[in-house]
Amino acid sequence: MTPLRAGILAAVVTVILDQASKLWLLNGFDLAHRGVVRVTPFFDLVLAWNIGISFGWLQNDGQAAQIALMAVKVIAVVALAIWMARSHTLLATIALGLIIGGAIGNGIDRLAYGAVVDFALFHIDIGGNTYNWYVFNLADVAIVAGVAGLLYDSFLGVPAAKAP
């Protein structure tokens, strides 16, 4: 399999898994009506609608803001796809596919719901205080894994991935 095909496959699988998990949690599991579902002592399922960008920054549900976020996302996906098409290392190409798939998955949410569906919450209790991580989804996991892969390939890969 060529690196480009592997990157495209990574993007497609990411979108499918991300959207399937969200559709199941929303419609099959009915997370909206269940509220917080404790899975382990440190992990819960909880429905959160993110109208902003990463980590809930730039929260704005206005139509102009949503259109602007989608425009930026489209430009980013096109730029990453060009980079992926020019990449020659398998790791960088798969990493770019993960980022593209995650961006598309969250973009589908924004088009369908006007917000990104987040559901995974890690937390820890220390001394009677609960410390929560940001609520996230599988698309976010793919994006973070893709960025980690690009960093690894850029610094330790031979030859290092080069952005266009």
Side-chain angles (χ1 to χ4, degrees):
M1 178 178 292
T2 65
L4 181 57
R5 285 184 185 205
I8 292 168
L9 181 63
V12 169
V13 168
T14 297
V15 171
I16 290 169
L17 291 176
D18 174 65
Q19 289 300 299
S21 67
K22 292 169 182 174
L23 287 171
W24 181 77
L25 285 166
L26 289 173
N27 301 314
F29 190 69
D30 198 17
L31 187 57
H33 289 102
R34 290 181 185 249
V36 176
V37 177
R38 178 156 272 206
V39 178
T40 71
F42 57 87
F43 177 72
D44 297 338
L45 293 174
V46 58
L47 182 60
W49 297 97
N50 183 358
I51 58 173
I53 60 171
S54 298
F55 308 114
W57 296 345
L58 302 177
Q59 294 285 318
N60 189 329
D61 60 355
Q63 187 175 11
Q66 292 301 313
I67 290 170
L69 286 174
M70 284 303 293
V72 168
K73 188 173 295 268
V74 168
I75 292 167
V77 166
V78 169
L80 290 169
I82 292 168
W83 183 3
M84 185 173 74
R86 293 180 180 176
S87 177
H88 298 291
T89 66
L90 183 62
L91 178 57
T93 308
I94 290 172
L96 289 162
L98 290 171
I99 296 168
I100 290 167
I104 291 171
N106 283 340
I108 290 170
D109 290 2
R110 199 167 294 285
L111 284 172
Y113 311 113
V116 174
V117 179
D118 288 327
F119 57 84
L121 174 64
F122 282 101
H123 54 84
I124 188 167
D125 295 321
I126 299 174
N129 294 317
T130 300
Y131 299 95
N132 295 315
W133 186 247
Y134 298 98
V135 182
F136 60 96
N137 59 45
L138 292 182
D140 299 331
V141 172
I143 292 168
V144 170
V147 169
L150 282 179
L151 289 172
Y152 179 86
D153 195 59
S154 294
F155 292 117
L156 302 173
V158 178
K162 303 293 183 217

